[in-house]
Amino acid sequence: MQSTGTRNPAATPTHCPYCALQCGMNLTPVEGGTVEVSERADFPVNRGALCGKGRTAAAVLAPGARLTSPLVRSGDGALVQAGWDEALDRIAGNLERTRARYGADALGVFGGGGLTNEKAYALGKFARVVLGTSQIDYNGRFCMSSAAAAGTRAFGLDRGLPFPLEDVPRTGCVILVGSNPAETMPPSLRYFTELRENGGTLIVVDPRRTRTAEQADLHLAPRPGTDLALALGMLHLVVAEGRVDEAYVEERTSGWEEARAAAMAHWPEHVERITGVSVPELREAVRLFCAPEAAMVLTARGPEQQAKGTDTVGAWINLCLATGRAGRPLSGYGCLTGQGNGQGGREHGQKADQLPGYRKLTDPAARRHVAGVWGVDPDSLPGPGRSAYELLDALGTDVRSLLVMGSNPVVSAPRAAHVEERLRSLDFLAVCDVVLSETAELADVVLPVTQWAEETGTTTSLEGRVLLRRRAITPPDGVRGDLEVLHGLAGRLGVEKGFPTDPEEVFEELRRASAGGPADYSGIDYRRLAEENGVFWPCPAPTGGDDTRNPTAPHPGTPRLFLDRFATDDGRARFVPVAHRPSAEEPDDEYPVLLTTGRVVSQYQSGAQTRRVAELNAAAPGPFVELHPRLAARLGAAEGDPLAVVSRRGRAVAPARITTGIRPDTVFMPFHWPGEGRANTLTNPALDPTSRMPEFKVCAVRVETVTS
C-alpha cells in the first residue's frame, strides 16, 4: 500500500463523516498524514457552515488517535499487533468452526449507520451468501426504526424527509417533536431561523428547554413518554374545532373514521393530566399549526425511541393527514435521521428483515430478484433474523460468534452492562473499526479500517439525497477498507467471487439489486453524483420504451415524494387508529423520577471518535445529570456534586447540572461516555412491537447523592 507521504495537493470536495446532514466540506492534504477541513459553499444543505465536530473531523485521522495495525488476543489475554493474513485467517477459522458446530445462525453480524451504502450492501450480502446466517442487524435500529415503520404503514414508503430541507423555511409552521438540532445537527438550525424570519412559526415539543426550544414561538414540555397523548389531544381539538380538511381526507386517505374515534377519546383535559401540557397551550399549538396554508411535523429520537414509538409517530402523521398536510407542496411529515448513513444503511440489506432496494426479505419476488443479481438460489437466502437488541441479548447462547462493523454497542445499546456481559460471553468476537472502541477492547481480533477521507463511497442523507464521498488521502500502511475485509473473509470461507474491493463496482451491483424496489437507485451512478451534488431516490434507470417523453433520458430523481399519490396499492395514505398507553416503566415509590437521554453538541453517538478530539473534549469533557432546582433541593445537591442515578438495570454516577430548563419530575443524561457515567447502563430495552426500537427515552429511576 502507498505511503501516507504521497499526497495530492488539490482540495477534494466531499462530505462530513458525522450526522445525516452530510454537510459538504473540502479536504486539503497536509503534513502528518491528515487533511485540512475547509468550507464548501456549493453544497446546498449546509452552504459552507460546519459544526465543531465537522471542523475537527480530521483529528481522528492522526496516527495517535486511530488504529494502524490488526490486533489479536494473545495467550495471556492481551491484544497484540499482528499481520493481516494472521488476523483474517483467525476470523475465518473461528467463523467456520462455529458454523460447523452450531449451524449458520450461530454466526452474528452487527453493522453500523455510518457505513457507506457500498459497505452496508456488501455486509448484508456477506451475511446471507457467505455465512448463510439470518442473524444480522445494525445500530440504525436504535435510530429511526419507529419513524420508518410508521411512515411505511401510513404512506407505503419510508424516506426520512419526503422533501428537501430547503422547503422548511418556506412552509407556514413546523412542529419539531423530540429534536434538538441546535446541538445534534447545528448547521440545520438556520432553516428554522429562516422559517421564523419568513413569518412562519416554530413549535418545539421537548421535556427540556433546549437550545432549539429557546428559538421556538411555542415550547411544549410534556412528561417523557407522553408524546402520543399530546398528538392525540391535538387531533381531538382539530376535530372539535372543525379544522379537518374533509375534501383532502375523502380524496387522498383511508381509515379516517377509526382514527378519529380513537382521537376523540383523548379530550384536552385528559391529555393535560397525562402530559402536563395545559389545555391553553394545546389550543394554541393547534391554532398555529392550522392557520397557514402549509405546515410540517418533523420528529426525531424523542418520540421514536419509545416502546410505543411507531404508534407515537403514527399519531403525528394522523394529525398531518387530518389537516391535509401530507403529499402537498411545503407540507408533510418527516423524520430527522440521526446517523450519517442511517437512511441508506437500512435500505440495502444490513437490517434483519430487508434486502437491497428496501425490499422485504419475506417477499418471494424480492428474493428472486436479489438472488438473481447475486447469482444464488433464492431458497438459499435465510429469512428474517433478530432485531438489534434481540441479537445482542442472544450473544453467547444462540449466537456464538459475532462480527461487528462500525458500531460500539458497549456504550450505545440499552441495558449496556448486560450487553457488555453478553459480548464477553461470546466464543469469538471480531470488530472492524477506525479506533479502539470500548467494544473493540473486548474483541478477539480487531481490524483497523479506513475512514471517510481515505475511501470513496456513497451515503444517503436525511433528505434521501444520495451523495458521493471522495477519497482525499491514502490510508496509512496497515489499514484496509471494509470492502477489502469482506473480500478477504469471503475468499477464505470459500466464496471467491462477488465481493469486489472497488466501491464503484459494488455500487454498480447495488444499482441492479435495487432496481424496481422502493429505494430504487438504478438510475444513479458516480458520474451523476459528482456532477449534480447528489441525486434524490427513487431514481429508476431509463426504461428505453416508447414513452414519448424521451424514455432514454436520465430520471431526474425525486426530491419531493407523494405529490401525486402515496406509495400504497391504492395511492391513498392510511390513517392508523392509535391510543395512548403508559410507558413500559412508570415511576413508583422506589424509582420516582423519569430519566431521558440524548446528545450534546460537542460529542457524537457513542463518542468513540469524538472523545479522541481535544477541542471537543474541552467543550464536553464528560457526562452529567441535568435536574431541576426543586429536585436538587430535595436531594440537598449543589451544582457539580456527584449524583447516582439508579434504575432497575444499574447505576450511573455523574456531576449535577442544575437548570430550570427541565421538568422537576425528569432528569437528563447524555449517552456519549463509557464507565461509571454510562447513561445506557440505566436505559430500558423494552421493545416497540412493530419497529423493535428500545425505549431509550424514558425509564424510571431514583437519584441519590454520593458521599465519599
Side-chain angles (χ1 to χ4, degrees), residues 23 73 184 211 263 300 312 335 346 390 413 481 583 626 654 697:
C23 292
R73 190 73 60 183
T184 59
R211 296 183 189 180
T312 300
C335 167
R346 69 180 181 281
E390 292 166 304
S583 298
E626 186 178 279
K697 285 300 179 191

Side-chain angles (χ1 to χ4, degrees), residues 531-544:
E531 292 177 356
E532 300 176 30
N533 248 338
V535 178
F536 291 87
W537 71 262
C539 182
T543 62

Side-chain angles (χ1 to χ4, degrees), residues 25-159:
M25 57 171 55
N26 287 316
L27 303 182
T28 304
V30 296
E31 292 297 323
T34 183
V35 294
E36 180 180 80
V37 175
S38 59
E39 70 176 32
R40 181 183 161 199
D42 70 309
F43 187 61
V45 173
N46 63 309
R47 304 176 227 162
L50 293 170
C51 73
K53 295 186 290 292
R55 285 189 296 98
T56 61
V60 189
L61 295 166
R66 52 94 58 85
L67 294 168
T68 55
S69 171
L71 304 173
V72 299
R73 190 73 60 183
S74 66
D76 64 3
L79 283 172
V80 299
Q81 292 189 1
W84 270 93
D85 283 340
E86 178 186 352
L88 291 172
D89 286 346
R90 189 176 292 199
I91 295 173
N94 276 280
L95 294 178
E96 189 57 70
R97 282 191 290 275
T98 297
R99 181 167 60 182
R101 183 173 181 181
Y102 299 107
D105 274 357
L107 303 177
V109 177
F110 200 85
L115 301 180
T116 62
N117 290 318
E118 292 81 357
K119 294 181 196 177
Y121 172 84
L123 186 63
K125 181 180 179 183
F126 176 82
R128 295 179 173 105
V129 172
V130 178
L131 301 182
T133 183
S134 66
Q135 300 304 301
I136 175 172
D137 210 72
Y138 82 127
N139 63 17
R141 176 78 66 172
F142 301 155
C143 178
M144 56 173 293
S145 57
S146 293
T152 301
R153 194 164 69 176
F155 306 130
L157 181 68
D158 155 52
R159 194 179 83 185

Side-chain angles (χ1 to χ4, degrees), residues 1 25 31 82 111 133 140 150 156 158 172 254 283 313 323 334 339 348 352 419 498 576 604 644 677:
M1 188 171 289
M25 57 171 55
E31 292 297 323
T133 183
D158 155 52
S254 62
R283 293 188 184 279
V313 173
T323 53
Q339 295 191 79
H348 297 301
V419 168
V576 177
Y604 181 73

Side-chain angles (χ1 to χ4, degrees), residues 19 27 46 61 85 123 143 198 324-325 333 340 414 441 462 469 475 488 592 666 674 698:
C19 83
L27 303 182
N46 63 309
L61 295 166
D85 283 340
L123 186 63
C143 178
N198 293 340
R325 308 305 176 90
Y333 163 77
E441 289 176 351
L462 79 171
R469 283 188 190 165
T666 300
V698 54

Side-chain angles (χ1 to χ4, degrees), residues 676-698:
E676 71 170 5
R678 180 174 59 184
N680 277 321
T681 297
L682 308 168
T683 49
N684 190 353
L687 301 180
D688 180 288
T690 302
S691 69
R692 316 308 289 168
M693 167 73 84
E695 191 152 73
F696 287 98
K697 285 300 179 191
V698 54

